[in-house]
Amino acid sequence: QPCWSEYLATRIEQNMVVSCTCPISECCAQPTAAFICSIISSEEIIAKYEKALLRGYVECCSNLTWCTNPQGCDQILLKDGLGYGAACSKCSWISCFSCNFPEAHYPASCSHMSHMTCVKCNHDFCWRCLKPWRPTHKDYYNCSAMVSKAAWQEKRFQDYNERCIFHHRAREFATSLRNRVSSISVMPKIRTLTFVLDACKMLEQARKVLAYSCVYSYYNQDTESMDIVEQQTENLELHTNAL
């Protein structure tokens, strides 16, 4: 039993317990959950084992996924039946289930978020698989060899990039403001500040849409409907700044 206990504890710590087999090389039997729980006495290690089982189950189910909140969230989300913009019930983070980008990015499409350009060599590549966007590219792993600032020097790219960064920073400010207001609202003799919290949440959402509108506009500048999109974006930005 001591040998089994040490073996299983090591496998759990290495996050390899789900696929572990009997330590005898000729034996392919896998230890059951009941067996592992009867061998391991440490509650901390058992808790890690249960987390590993849950993680393995989620990864095996195509209709389940973890919340993608970069600040950390252990909520499991069900993809089926959720429309675009469905928020996590625990942290309210809105994930995109169609691509690997960590959050919903309306109005920019998934292809917009996947198509990235290196600012050093102007190389187009896919953010999801990291393969060249254009198969004819010759310098995928050699950015430093041919330094070209064409993408960065392009005025239009600079403008949209700076606007996008500005809105993301403004969104972070709105989040910080909401957190500060939340801490004040719990103090005694302070009147309700719900309307201020609602305003901060609205600011966060508006800044998010404005940031990804920059991505959308950059890739769709030549379409006939862009005049309307730019006008609506300008109106949204005007009212957001006023708020």
Side-chain angles (χ1 to χ4, degrees), residues 2 10 12 14 18 32 52-53 77 89-90 96 99 115 117 128 133 145 148 159 161 171 189 201 204 221 230 238 241:
T10 301
I12 293 172
Q14 295 175 345
V18 176
T32 64
L53 286 181
L77 305 179
S89 60
K90 184 174 183 178
C96 179
C99 69
H115 187 185
T117 303
R128 300 177 67 181
W133 199 264
S148 170
D159 290 343
N161 185 58
R171 178 186 174 189
K189 298 183 181 180
K201 292 177 182 178
E204 291 178 64
Q221 193 64 42
E230 290 284 6
L238 180 66
N241 291 338

Side-chain angles (χ1 to χ4, degrees), residues 82-210:
L82 287 180
Y84 186 90
C88 173
S89 60
K90 184 174 183 178
C91 70
S92 300
W93 184 259
I94 304 177
S95 304
C96 179
F97 295 144
S98 300
C99 69
N100 291 336
F101 199 74
E103 71 171 343
H105 41 73
Y106 181 83
S109 68
C110 292
S111 61
H112 292 157
M113 305 313 297
S114 298
H115 187 185
M116 306 297 288
T117 303
C118 176
V119 297
K120 287 187 176 181
C121 70
N122 204 27
H123 166 52
D124 294 321
F125 65 96
C126 176
W127 180 253
R128 300 177 67 181
C129 65
L130 299 182
K131 293 181 179 179
W133 199 264
R134 300 188 182 97
T136 56
H137 192 281
K138 304 295 183 183
D139 301 303
Y140 176 46
Y141 289 111
N142 200 21
C143 285
S144 59
M146 298 188 61
V147 177
S148 170
K149 296 183 179 180
W152 187 252
Q153 291 173 343
E154 182 185 7
K155 178 74 166 61
R156 183 165 157 269
F157 174 82
Q158 278 186 321
D159 290 343
Y160 281 109
N161 185 58
E162 290 173 0
R163 285 167 56 188
C164 184
I165 292 174
F166 168 80
H167 290 305
H168 276 305
R169 288 176 177 172
R171 178 186 174 189
E172 292 175 357
F173 170 78
T175 302
S176 175
L177 182 61
R178 176 167 58 84
N179 292 335
R180 281 182 287 169
V181 173
S182 296
S183 63
I184 295 174
S185 62
V186 299
M187 296 176 62
K189 298 183 181 180
I190 296 293
R191 66 176 183 175
T192 177
L193 297 175
T194 304
F195 71 99
V196 182
L197 293 174
D198 291 341
C200 291
K201 292 177 182 178
M202 187 62 66
L203 273 176
E204 291 178 64
Q205 180 63 22
R207 290 298 182 187
K208 176 183 174 181
V209 172
L210 286 169

Side-chain angles (χ1 to χ4, degrees), residues 6 15 44 50 64 69 102 134 159 183 198 205 214:
E6 183 177 350
N15 196 27
E44 181 181 354
E50 291 174 346
L64 296 179
N69 190 335
R134 300 188 182 97
D159 290 343
S183 63
D198 291 341
Q205 180 63 22
C214 295

